[in-house]
Amino acid sequence: MTFCGALEMSGWIDFRVDLIKGGMEQFGIDHPTFKPGNVESQLTEYITFEGYSVDEDGTQHYKNANVGMRRACLDATDYLKNFGYTGERAYFALGTIPVESRIAGIVDLPNTCVTVSIPQEAFDFTVDPNDLGDVGSQSRGTAPRPS
């Protein structure tokens, strides 16, 4: 969420690189490509916030994912205020946990929809909407199972 892309810590890493000579031309691509390791996240419960390309003043921005991302991040920080965080502390918390963000849609022009998902397991207390009172206390139900 802070876009710094790095966490500073002591430690070591075993890093392996395979270079493909002429790979950019061979695969017809213009930018480096990588294949992440096979370790999947163990996080399973997320709260997802959506932001659209409409700024805080109500001004529509044509296909601007930056505005959508900012709006989703602002909603996430405001949501955490329900649990005692200040805006600054929520921002720092979200900047250090594995937040997932995606461009969710660019189909309803001029809007761009961006989602920001925060894992509930990153907190040592519940941040589930169901725990905020009657607003989120309805069951989400269960998905039908194939027979």
Side-chain angles (χ1 to χ4, degrees):
M1 200 170 112
T2 61
F3 302 108
C4 75
L7 291 177
E8 297 166 5
M9 60 181 236
S10 61
W12 62 274
I13 185 170
D14 184 14
F15 189 71
R16 181 178 152 204
V17 176
D18 293 321
L19 294 176
I20 301 172
K21 187 172 181 159
M24 302 291 272
E25 294 80 18
Q26 179 182 347
F27 297 113
I29 57 177
D30 295 327
H31 297 87
T33 303
F34 63 93
K35 182 179 171 185
N38 59 359
V39 178
E40 292 188 33
S41 172
Q42 301 298 310
L43 305 171
T44 59
E45 292 288 323
Y46 290 85
I47 302 171
T48 302
F49 301 88
E50 289 185 346
Y52 300 96
S53 51
V54 178
D55 67 19
E56 295 85 344
D57 298 328
T59 303
Q60 176 74 59
H61 296 270
Y62 187 76
K63 295 195 300 185
N64 191 327
N66 291 326
V67 174
M69 177 67 173
R70 184 177 73 238
R71 294 303 306 265
C73 291
L74 289 172
D75 279 351
T77 56
D78 285 344
Y79 177 79
L80 289 178
K81 289 179 185 178
N82 290 298
F83 301 93
Y85 281 86
T86 64
E88 294 81 8
R89 292 181 78 194
Y91 172 79
F92 285 122
L94 294 173
T96 58
I97 62 175
V99 171
E100 292 187 15
S101 178
R102 292 181 172 81
I103 295 179
I106 310 177
V107 295
D108 296 324
L109 294 180
N111 289 320
T112 299
C113 176
V114 178
T115 59
V116 169
S117 300
I118 59 174
Q120 294 184 55
E121 295 96 338
F123 299 90
D124 60 358
F125 55 91
T126 180
V127 293
D128 194 294
N130 290 337
D131 296 328
L132 286 177
D134 293 333
V135 175
S137 62
Q138 305 297 21
S139 171
R140 291 185 284 174
T142 57
R145 298 188 187 272
S147 53

